[in-house]
Amino acid sequence: MAEPPIYLDHHATTPCDPRVVEAMTPFFTQTFGNPASLTHDYGRRAANALEDARISIARFFRVQPNEFYFTAGATESNNIALNLLVAGDHLITTAMEHKSVLMPARRLQKRGVELTLLSPDGEGFIDPNSLRDALRPNTRLVSIEAANGEIGTIQPIDDFAAICRERGVLFHSDITQAAGKIPINLPALDLASLSAHKIYGPKGIGGLYVRRGVRVEPLILGGGQEKNVRSGTVNVPGAIGLSAALRLRASEMAAEAERLTALRNELWDRITAELAGTSVNGPRALRLPGNLNVSFDRVEADSLIVAMRRFALSSGSACSSGERGPSPVLTAIGVPEAAALGSIRFGLGKSNIPEQVDMLVDDLKRAVTKLREISAA
Ligand code: PMP
């Protein structure tokens, strides 16, 4: 049987760590109670485990347990966060946010919310001064991601949060690509969204941090779980999985970030030195450790991905793959359309080792040369 391809798409998702699966397993079969069923031991044990998970997650982020709500993931958390806006409010976000921020922002705009999209510079950074200039008397919420999943840019969210706090404006950050990978100062923020599956946890579970005193408007109404922020029976195994994944990150994050940064820089240097007509999108410093995004001149990313059979690659956000056209993130940082259509996102993670970088560079050289020959013919 052919070897499975080497996984290089860790921004789209990550495999569940077996230690996380092990922590979750009893909550499917033994401690399976509904955490709202407090009339019997099954429910009470599930409720206790859920609260222990919340405490452990809160400790990781240095916030209070009652400031953290379980959701089905970052998409839901982002939607809940933005849902606090009403007609007449002003929302500031950026042109390079994930769709789970941009789509609700556009819908709110149709419903009478004023919307400003800040533009990043050529490396994807949002200038804190541009945020300061965009604030209006009716600005209610600013939402800027902590790190970008396509080009890895790490934003100065502490600066944004300080500007907002000074002006009495709420600051939300989509920390999905950053949480558990780089340090995040959650207590400085008012709201934050994350998903477990980006950090070797399960899919379909995430969280919303809501600083004490901040009121959100639920999207889903029902049994009032999660203090009415998100009705619906809580995914207990998932919550245990998120907590286990973060516990592992607490001890492994720093060393892993260093290792992945070195591996990524090696890949960066080798691709740009050994392949003509390549350029890296995004910054060198203040970049997510495992992220690299490269434009290959005179090559279509789709063709290159197909030619690179030994690797699982993508050209950008999984949520946008399948769509035609250049990546909105690359367009926002000024990458010309042809270069954007020839760009690959490499997402390195725990399983990747230096020998795979050698294989990757070899295969890229072969595939890019061949594709350029075909396109020149
Ligand atoms: N925000 C960012 C920055 C993301 O990368 C993703 C996942 N691609 C999401 C939000 C949505 O996460 P989920 O699909 O788990 O809801």
Side-chain angles (χ1 to χ4, degrees):
M1 216 175 74
E3 286 272 305
I6 294 164
Y7 191 68
L8 280 180
D9 201 12
H10 287 88
H11 300 297
T13 195
T14 56
C16 224
D17 188 301
R19 295 167 291 180
V20 170
V21 177
E22 198 187 335
M24 291 170 68
T25 303
F27 294 89
F28 289 103
T29 51
Q30 292 158 27
T31 314
F32 62 83
N34 185 326
S37 302
L38 298 179
T39 51
H40 52 68
D41 219 37
Y42 292 95
R44 283 193 292 265
R45 279 171 53 207
N48 287 340
L50 188 64
E51 292 320 302
D52 286 348
R54 199 187 311 276
I55 289 166
S56 162
I57 293 165
R59 193 172 298 140
F60 177 87
F61 286 115
R62 288 171 291 109
V63 299
Q64 295 302 315
N66 62 7
E67 295 176 311
F68 189 85
Y69 301 91
F70 289 106
T71 68
T75 297
E76 191 176 85
S77 300
N78 285 338
N79 274 267
I80 297 171
L82 267 61
N83 199 43
L84 63 81
L85 293 155
V86 296
D89 288 340
H90 176 221
L91 164 66
I92 301 175
T93 181
T94 83
M96 56 192 290
E97 298 300 311
H98 189 262
K99 278 186 156 183
S100 54
V101 168
L102 288 174
M103 299 305 281
R106 295 218 172 93
R107 186 170 66 177
L108 285 165
Q109 190 181 26
K110 284 201 197 106
R111 294 177 178 176
V113 169
E114 294 170 28
L115 176 64
T116 299
L117 292 183
L118 301 177
S119 296
D121 69 13
E123 292 187 327
F125 293 106
I126 301 292
D127 181 352
N129 287 321
S130 74
L131 169 59
R132 205 174 267 119
D133 293 345
L135 290 168
R136 299 177 192 164
N138 60 336
T139 308
R140 177 100 183 276
L141 181 72
V142 172
S143 177
I144 304 179
E145 65 191 2
N148 186 270
E150 287 187 46
I151 56 171
T153 311
I154 297 171
Q155 302 291 350
I157 55 169
D158 287 2
D159 294 349
F160 302 148
I163 292 167
C164 290
R165 196 157 288 187
E166 213 171 85
R167 299 280 292 263
V169 172
L170 295 172
F171 181 70
H172 165 256
S173 185
D174 176 357
I175 63 169
T176 310
Q177 290 289 347
K181 295 181 192 155
I182 56 169
I184 297 281
N185 184 14
L186 215 56
L189 316 181
D190 295 309
L191 300 131
S193 308
L194 73 142
S195 267
H197 70 98
K198 308 286 185 180
I199 43 169
Y200 309 95
K203 294 168 184 61
I205 186 80
L208 177 65
Y209 160 71
V210 183
R211 193 167 60 78
R212 197 185 328 205
V214 174
R215 284 190 68 82
V216 292
E217 182 61 30
L219 272 175
I220 299 173
L221 303 178
Q225 290 90 344
E226 296 300 280
K227 299 218 183 74
N228 279 318
V229 167
R230 196 272 184 186
S231 279
T233 304
V234 180
N235 172 359
V236 178
I240 304 298
L242 172 57
S243 138
L246 282 171
R247 240 190 341 266
L248 292 172
R249 298 313 285 168
S251 56
E252 297 174 2
M253 178 170 97
E256 180 67 356
E258 201 173 312
R259 189 186 78 84
L260 287 180
T261 301
L263 207 56
R264 190 271 317 285
N265 287 345
E266 164 83 10
L267 183 59
W268 177 322
D269 294 343
R270 288 201 52 193
I271 289 177
T272 49
E274 297 176 34
L275 270 123
T278 51
S279 52
V280 173
N281 302 308
R284 176 87 174 195
L286 296 175
R287 183 176 193 127
L288 284 176
N291 175 274
L292 187 64
N293 189 306
V294 182
S295 289
F296 296 86
D297 289 356
R298 293 181 288 114
V299 169
E300 277 179 16
D302 292 350
S303 312
L304 184 53
I305 288 169
V306 172
M308 295 285 293
R309 280 178 214 293
R310 292 204 288 178
F311 293 88
L313 295 167
S314 79
S315 55
S317 167
C319 311
S320 309
S321 69
E323 278 177 21
R324 310 302 301 169
S327 143
V329 172
L330 295 180
T331 304
I333 64 166
V335 175
E337 182 168 342
L341 291 172
S343 85
I344 302 279
R345 172 184 67 173
F346 301 96
L348 302 169
K350 264 203 299 211
S351 62
N352 299 127
I353 51 173
E355 294 74 65
Q356 295 172 341
V357 167
D358 295 335
M359 278 171 69
L360 180 64
V361 174
D362 284 348
D363 286 15
L364 278 171
K365 282 199 251 183
R366 232 188 331 261
V368 167
T369 307
K370 194 165 159 210
L371 289 170
R372 284 179 180 160
E373 279 168 11
I374 295 168
S375 76

